[in-house]
Amino acid sequence: EPLFELMEAESQLLMLLVFTVLGGSMLGPAFAEARWQDFAYAAASLTVIRMVPVSLSLIGSGLKTRTVLFLGWFGPRGLASVLFALLLLERSGITHQQQVYSAAMLTVLGSVVLHGATAAPFAHRYARSVAERPGAPEHEEVEVHPLRHRRSAES
């Protein structure tokens, strides 16, 4: 068990190191050609473009506004942004490739910095606010994912 935990921790550390080096090497070209519009898009992407779809998907859930905002702020994100941007640039032949690249990299950098800096304080504040409302939908246990295929007892 201790050896397994050490291997897990080591693999996580090495993965973070690789992402840091790789990400750092990708930022130089992004900043070199970035325009104010790229920074504006990154800001919009981290707020409106992310939060609106999350908010729309939670209509009718009964969740409080604070929960919807929390999920929108920390919602879908990650390495997929970099991957999709690189795939788009490699295969589509679109014009303004540098601007797409800069906007994607600035969005990822903004996400890492802003979400990293706000994760602990926002999570603690959110946990306190939810704890003050026992019986709220946020306390309900999710037993079955609504979109998961259920196997019948005969299978």
Side-chain angles (χ1 to χ4, degrees):
E1 182 75 21
L3 182 59
F4 178 73
E5 289 178 16
L6 175 66
M7 288 172 38
E8 280 290 311
E10 187 179 53
S11 70
Q12 289 290 325
L13 180 62
L14 289 173
M15 182 181 66
L16 291 173
L17 180 64
V18 168
F19 282 140
T20 301
V21 171
L22 180 63
S25 69
M26 296 174 86
L27 288 176
F31 272 109
E33 299 292 326
R35 303 169 306 147
W36 72 267
Q37 292 96 332
D38 302 324
F39 287 95
Y41 174 80
S45 184
L46 293 172
T47 54
V48 177
I49 295 171
R50 172 184 288 169
M51 296 177 98
V52 168
V54 170
S55 299
L56 290 173
S57 72
L58 293 172
I59 290 175
S61 67
L63 298 175
K64 298 289 183 188
T65 302
R66 179 172 281 188
T67 298
V68 173
L69 291 173
F70 183 83
L71 292 173
W73 178 247
F74 291 111
R77 64 184 200 278
L79 202 53
S81 303
V82 175
L83 213 54
F84 291 144
L86 292 175
L87 283 171
L88 174 73
L89 294 174
E90 181 182 300
R91 297 188 178 171
S92 71
I94 62 170
T95 57
H96 307 292
Q97 288 188 353
Q98 184 59 46
Q99 283 75 32
V100 172
Y101 178 80
S102 292
M105 294 307 115
L106 293 173
T107 301
V108 170
L109 175 64
S111 177
V112 168
V113 172
L114 293 173
H115 295 123
T118 59
F122 283 16
H124 290 299
R125 190 176 311 143
Y126 176 73
R128 281 194 308 271
S129 75
V130 170
E132 295 170 358
R133 296 189 322 269
E138 290 84 352
H139 288 277
E140 291 179 22
E141 186 174 331
V142 178
E143 295 179 21
V144 177
H145 189 285
L147 300 178
R148 185 174 294 144
H149 176 72
R150 292 184 224 163
R151 290 187 172 156
S152 64
E154 301 145 9
S155 309

